[in-house]
Amino acid sequence: MGRSLNLLEQITANTSPGPFYEGDDETIAPPTNPLIRLIAFYLPQFHFVPENNHWWGEGFTEWTNVTKAAPRFAGHYQPRLPGALGFYDASQPDTLKRQAAMAKRYGIAGFCFHHYWFQGRRILEKPLDVLLANPDIDLPFCVNWANESWTKRWDGSEQSVLLQQQHSIEDSLAFARSLEPMFRDKRYIRINGRPLLLIYRPALFPDPMQTIAQWRAQFMSVGLGDPYIAMVQRYGDGNASKYGMDAAVGFPPFYLSTNIPLRDDLELFDAKFHGAVRQYEALAEATISNYDRERNTFPGVSPSWDNDARTPGRGTCFSGSTPVIYSRWLRAACIACMRNFAGDERLVFINAWNEWAEGAYLEPDRHFGYAYLAETRRVLNELSPELVDMPSLTGETNWVPPNFTLKRHARRLARETLNYVANIAEEVAWRLRRK
């Protein structure tokens, strides 16, 4: 094994074409008649809004977080800088047109927009409004209501609340009515004719069963039919039927990540780094091994994941992602979907198209280029009905959660404690600055 890179060498390597780099090939046609529809989550926080200017500073967009990132340990892939699409403004029609064309060429069937509604107040709505106002943009879409509070910690917890989410039956009905123009759009993604709606945290509703039932009645009363309503799978919460919903949607990484051991071999550039680092390949294997046990969940895949850009020095990272490992994960997800679903219900969700500050994106970057998109297209092109009969998705052995040693437990507890203290310190400093 060769020596590790120093900090400057690591940054240079991360912002230059690497060994997996692939360029674009515009001569290749999109996959024809794919057996699976791939839906990629889409983050709309790449344009200016007054709220973000107030909370985070003038001119803030998601690119602000992305560009301040730095590698915290040897092999840490930060910063992650965009390639062909550049530092785009998602509120511009041309941006959506370019993204739509790129997604289609590489086999992405549509985007699931994260959608924000707070008691009638919308935020980050411009990209979706631009799409609706431009029917010539060839982009199938649906929405995921991210129905939690906005906080300074980016995690929906109730500390340092920026926008409070206050659920009620009346507000839920108003939200449903606001979706009607989208559901009438011919590009809206449907399952057997039913418009697809995702809910991020249905457990936050005062009465989830009543809310879902009222939504169905509302949409049917205006001629939009019975919607196909799915929940986003979260740790400890993946049973859609208890909410009266039709299915769950895989949303890695956190549903199964707690049993994956932390890396204890890091060569730190930042002695104050208190983040949590696990292996991406272990995440892929753990998720794949769980697919056959989830009969009513659309499989989810993530190309990579690292949110240190949002929480510098204390982020969560799944290190070691490559297009090859991602390809194997996506292929297993597609096979599992073909086993468990038929026809229009054969959907696989990818987290995400453009979550740059969480290191979860398919868009080309400076280090990998189009490699993740190219692998996406290859997987779709190589799918066949015969793959459904494979004896195992994981090969000869299934991934088994490790038995943690006492020493590893202590290290994990220490990291979590330091992370908690850092969060409290940041909150106190933020409150003092506001006075």
Side-chain angles (χ1 to χ4, degrees):
M1 182 181 294
R3 71 172 181 85
S4 299
L5 302 180
N6 63 37
L7 178 59
L8 179 58
E9 291 170 335
Q10 186 71 68
I11 293 173
T12 301
N14 292 347
T15 55
S16 305
F20 291 98
Y21 185 92
E22 291 192 46
D24 188 19
D25 187 350
E26 296 186 3
T27 66
I28 298 178
T32 56
N33 301 316
L35 298 176
I36 295 289
R37 283 191 290 174
L38 299 179
I39 310 300
F41 286 100
Y42 185 96
L43 179 72
Q45 192 162 232
F46 293 93
H47 65 283
F48 300 129
V49 296
E51 292 89 345
N52 276 337
N53 286 341
H54 176 67
W55 297 325
W56 304 103
E58 195 70 24
F60 177 90
T61 73
E62 195 74 351
W63 297 124
T64 308
N65 285 328
V66 171
T67 54
K68 70 184 181 184
R72 305 291 168 177
F73 53 88
H76 189 197
Y77 181 30
Q78 291 287 2
R80 297 165 176 262
L81 300 179
L85 293 174
F87 296 98
Y88 54 75
D89 179 345
S91 67
Q92 298 302 308
D94 183 64
T95 295
L96 284 171
K97 289 178 181 178
R98 294 175 66 198
Q99 290 173 322
M102 183 181 290
K104 182 177 181 179
R105 196 164 70 250
Y106 283 93
I108 302 301
F111 290 168
C112 181
F113 284 76
H114 292 306
H115 188 60
Y116 306 97
W117 165 282
F118 296 87
Q119 298 82 243
R121 177 180 179 180
R122 297 172 65 205
I123 187 171
L124 301 179
E125 74 281 0
K126 286 185 180 179
L128 193 52
D129 285 350
V130 166
L131 178 61
L132 292 170
N134 289 269
D136 60 311
I137 300 177
D138 184 11
L139 179 60
F141 71 99
C142 61
V143 296
N144 167 45
W145 183 15
N147 63 314
E148 61 184 6
S149 298
W150 270 24
T151 70
K152 291 286 284 189
R153 291 180 58 182
W154 299 98
D155 59 3
S157 65
E158 295 303 312
Q159 298 181 12
S160 302
V161 173
L162 301 174
L163 277 178
Q164 182 74 50
Q165 188 67 261
Q166 296 176 325
H167 288 291
S168 66
I169 293 297
E170 295 75 20
D171 181 63
S172 292
L173 278 174
F175 168 74
R177 295 186 188 102
S178 75
L179 297 179
E180 291 174 13
M182 300 180 206
F183 283 11
R184 297 186 192 282
D185 193 295
K186 65 180 182 180
R187 296 166 295 178
Y188 199 86
I189 294 170
R190 289 169 169 79
I191 296 178
N192 296 321
R194 304 166 63 189
L196 173 62
L197 172 63
L198 272 61
I199 305 299
Y200 189 54
R201 297 182 65 180
L204 296 180
F205 295 138
D207 188 334
M209 293 284 283
Q210 181 185 4
T211 298
I212 301 304
Q214 288 188 331
W215 282 353
R216 296 190 192 281
Q218 170 63 27
F219 290 124
M220 287 189 286
S221 73
V222 294
L224 291 170
D226 181 11
Y228 195 107
I229 304 177
M231 65 173 290
V232 172
Q233 194 180 53
R234 293 172 54 86
Y235 177 71
D237 193 9
N239 181 5
S241 62
K242 70 178 182 181
Y243 300 117
M245 303 172 84
D246 296 288
V249 170
F251 192 69
F254 292 116
Y255 185 64
L256 294 171
S257 65
T258 54
N259 286 332
I260 299 173
L262 295 169
R263 285 186 56 187
D264 57 7
D265 60 344
L266 301 179
E267 298 178 40
L268 296 179
F269 296 137
D270 178 5
K272 297 180 180 180
F273 177 70
H274 300 305
V277 182
R278 298 176 173 87
Q279 290 284 5
Y280 173 83
E281 188 167 17
L283 172 67
E285 292 295 343
T287 309
I288 291 169
S289 68
N290 202 56
Y291 281 151
D292 282 340
R293 293 190 286 270
E294 297 179 332
R295 299 296 180 183
N296 197 36
T297 300
F298 298 120
V301 177
S302 185
S304 58
W305 214 90
D306 178 4
N307 70 352
D308 201 72
R310 280 186 172 174
T311 54
R314 50 189 176 84
T316 296
C317 171
F318 292 85
S319 66
S321 170
T322 68
V324 174
I325 302 172
Y326 159 73
S327 176
R328 179 161 54 87
W329 186 357
L330 179 61
R331 180 174 181 269
C334 291
I335 294 171
C337 186
M338 289 192 295
R339 287 179 176 176
N340 296 333
F341 295 97
D344 254 12
E345 287 188 300
R346 284 185 167 175
L347 304 179
V348 170
F349 284 79
I350 299 177
N351 183 30
W353 175 260
N354 66 337
E355 281 276 9
W356 283 87
E358 292 184 346
Y361 54 87
L362 288 173
E363 291 178 331
D365 68 11
R366 298 185 192 179
H367 186 67
F368 289 103
Y370 287 77
Y372 284 89
L373 283 169
E375 288 296 336
T376 302
R377 182 166 58 196
R378 290 185 189 112
V379 168
L380 283 179
N381 283 335
E382 293 168 4
L383 288 178
S384 67
E386 292 77 19
L387 293 173
V388 174
D389 298 324
M390 285 181 58
S392 171
L393 293 175
T394 56
E396 295 182 359
T397 59
N398 286 332
W399 184 84
V400 178
N403 290 319
F404 292 110
T405 64
L406 182 60
K407 184 177 180 181
R408 180 168 285 163
H409 271 302
R411 281 197 299 268
R412 180 178 181 184
L413 180 61
R415 286 178 184 270
E416 291 176 349
T417 302
L418 288 169
N419 199 2
Y420 176 76
V421 171
N423 287 338
I424 295 298
E426 180 189 49
E427 182 176 348
V428 170
W430 176 65
R431 289 182 183 278
L432 289 173
R433 287 196 299 270
R434 294 188 70 187
K435 290 183 178 180

